[in-house]
Amino acid sequence: MTKSRSEKLKRLVAVQRHLEQMAESELAETARQRRDLAETIDVVADAMGSASPLHAMFSGHYASQLGRLAQKDQMLLGIQQGHETRVLKERAKGDRLEENMKEARVLEDRTEADNAIYDLVDQHMMSGSPASGKVGRS
């Protein structure tokens, strides 16, 4: 048995929704990495501003580390924006496929109903019974 168009589209919708979930997962992971990085930046910035003589000895190291962390945050921001765009695209594709699937199902239901009516008409015509019981009596 061949699958109907709506069944094929239903499968595509499921695949597309899975792709959307994967994109959302990647976005969430990147956002988590940025939160962790922000915490590390705060710790390094606090150490730089500390009055402790031990931290003062490492201020140059802290400054270069802070620069690297800020650079990594900018890289992650770009990745996060890319993931956000991908999530929106995947969601839009899924929504379009779902709408097409619903339209295909409506058309299939309509065709099925039309065919049922045609079958009834054909059966009635084949039975040879007249439209009125009075016709054919003498």
Side-chain angles (χ1 to χ4, degrees):
M1 180 180 158
T2 61
K3 290 190 175 188
S4 68
R5 183 169 186 268
S6 65
E7 289 170 332
K8 291 176 185 176
L9 285 168
K10 183 177 181 180
R11 184 177 167 131
L12 283 175
V13 168
V15 169
Q16 189 59 44
R17 293 302 182 199
H18 183 70
L19 290 173
E20 181 183 339
Q21 288 174 341
M22 288 172 49
E24 287 172 345
S25 177
E26 291 170 0
L27 174 60
E29 175 59 23
T30 303
R32 185 200 58 77
Q33 288 176 2
R34 285 196 68 215
R35 281 191 304 275
D36 291 349
L37 187 63
E39 290 174 12
T40 304
I41 289 172
D42 289 344
V43 168
V44 171
D46 287 346
M48 280 180 68
S50 173
S52 167
L54 180 63
H55 289 302
M57 288 184 348
F58 292 106
S59 65
H61 171 72
Y62 292 152
S64 66
Q65 185 178 11
L66 198 58
R68 285 191 305 274
L69 292 172
Q71 198 172 26
K72 185 174 181 180
D73 185 53
Q74 282 301 308
M75 179 195 70
L76 285 173
L77 175 62
I79 291 170
Q80 183 176 357
Q81 289 169 339
H83 287 316
E84 288 168 351
T85 301
R86 183 171 161 228
V87 166
L88 292 174
K89 284 181 181 179
E90 299 296 349
R91 186 170 296 141
K93 285 181 192 176
D95 291 347
R96 276 194 311 271
L97 282 170
E98 192 168 349
E99 189 61 37
N100 288 340
M101 177 195 68
K102 289 176 183 176
E103 289 173 7
R105 186 68 206 155
V106 167
L107 287 173
E108 289 164 5
D109 289 345
R110 193 174 296 147
T111 301
E112 190 176 311
D114 289 349
N115 288 340
I117 290 171
Y118 292 142
D119 287 345
L120 283 173
V121 170
D122 287 346
Q123 287 175 7
H124 183 70
M125 298 298 279
M126 294 272 199
S127 69
S129 63
S132 170
K134 295 180 183 175
V135 178
R137 286 190 197 164
S138 309

